[in-house]
Amino acid sequence: MTLETIAIPKSIKANPLTPREIDLIDQVNDRIEAFMLGDSAVIETFVPCDFQWLAQCLDWIDQQHFSAGQRFCELGSGFGVAAMLAALRGKTAVGIEIESALVDQSNRLAKDLGIAARFYCGTFVPSAMAGSLALSREVDHIATGGDDVYDATGIAFNAFDLFFAFPWPGEHEFYETLVDSAATPGAMLLTYNERAGMKLFRKTY
Ligand SMILES: C[S@@+](CC[C@H](N)C(=O)[O-])C[C@H]1O[C@@H](n2cnc3c(N)ncnc32)[C@H](O)[C@@H]1O
């Protein structure tokens, strides 16, 4: 494993959000509630994360000048809030989501709020990695088959500078292995783990 862990100070939870970040989070919370209560079939693998803390982490990462570049990818983007928060920070932000109903929701929200994040329906697991031994551990909540969408995004997996993922309990190792195996050195992975909180990793050179 060539990922180093970077501690995120708990004190950032007191940092203020911008009005646009607050508006995005308010809007998405309303839409998620309506989506969950609506007619759509329940998507069991979709659980939204702590968006306020996520915004504070992205702000802190920028303040530390950790990231080598401006390309951001949300792996399993749900409603796409991480990608939209990154786009609000001026990043080239992409969300990849396997459930088309969620891609529709994130595209609609980005359009309504005038946020330049782009969302793609398909798998974030690079096709070249799909059969890899390194990724062959058991995961119940990650689709591991199918063609990836990196051609459509126009950005290869190893050209992203910062990834975000919200793994299910016990599945964080999958994302860490993916970034460790296929990302470029210097790339970072931020994950939200409900009990352990936010974790930040950097692939070493
Ligand atoms: C726990 S949710 C997190 C959603 C969002 N990132 C957030 O933080 O609110 C995980 C998402 O990953 C999606 N997903 C699972 N496997 C995937 C795959 N191989 N490619 C793309 N999306 C996937 C699920 O459909 C689900 O929406």
Side-chain angles (χ1 to χ4, degrees), residues 103-136:
V103 177
D104 291 347
Q105 291 285 339
S106 48
N107 272 324
R108 203 170 309 148
L109 182 58
K111 186 165 178 256
D112 290 350
L113 297 182
I115 298 176
R118 293 178 285 135
F119 296 95
Y120 296 86
C121 190
T123 181
F124 60 71
V125 181
S127 303
M129 293 286 298
S132 141
L133 270 185
L135 291 180
S136 63

Side-chain angles (χ1 to χ4, degrees), residues 80-155:
V81 181
M84 285 187 244
L85 287 169
L88 286 177
R89 310 197 65 78
K91 298 188 190 304
T92 301
V94 163
I96 301 174
E97 170 56 54
I98 202 98
E99 297 284 351
S100 60
L102 293 172
V103 177
D104 291 347
Q105 291 285 339
S106 48
N107 272 324
R108 203 170 309 148
L109 182 58
K111 186 165 178 256
D112 290 350
L113 297 182
I115 298 176
R118 293 178 285 135
F119 296 95
Y120 296 86
C121 190
T123 181
F124 60 71
V125 181
S127 303
M129 293 286 298
S132 141
L133 270 185
L135 291 180
S136 63
R137 64 196 79 241
E138 268 195 27
V139 280
D140 291 332
H141 304 94
I142 304 169
T144 50
D147 291 331
D148 71 46
V149 292
Y150 294 100
D151 276 353
T153 68
I155 305 175

